[in-house]
Amino acid sequence: MPGLDPKNGPARRSGAALQIQLDEFLSAREEGLIAFRRDLHMHPELGYAEHRTTGRIVEQLRAAGLSPQVLPKGTG
């Protein structure tokens, strides 16, 4: 299979290419990611009661085109 190193899985150059893509992705979204992190830290919640945090994460995942599933207790 192209791009695979039989000893180490995906070829190293694929890892380097992915790192470049990840760096570009994060750079383009840096301000939003920082704002998201700050928002979460401004609204701390007790363990196993992170309903607001879960809601915010679900919003972000849906905005990214994903379909997150919240655990039955409403967190996680």
Side-chain angles (χ1 to χ4, degrees), residues 5-54:
D5 177 342
K7 294 181 183 174
N8 298 315
R12 289 181 190 263
R13 64 187 159 153
S14 294
L18 289 174
Q19 184 64 52
I20 291 169
Q21 288 178 324
L22 179 59
D23 289 344
E24 290 172 356
F25 176 89
L26 294 173
S27 291
R29 292 160 181 80
E30 183 174 12
E31 287 183 30
L33 291 168
I34 290 170
F36 181 70
R37 177 183 54 84
R38 288 180 177 165
D39 175 69
L40 294 181
H41 285 270
M42 282 192 280
H43 301 92
E45 298 175 281
L46 296 174
Y48 303 102
E50 305 95 338
H51 297 281
R52 182 183 183 282
T53 298
T54 298

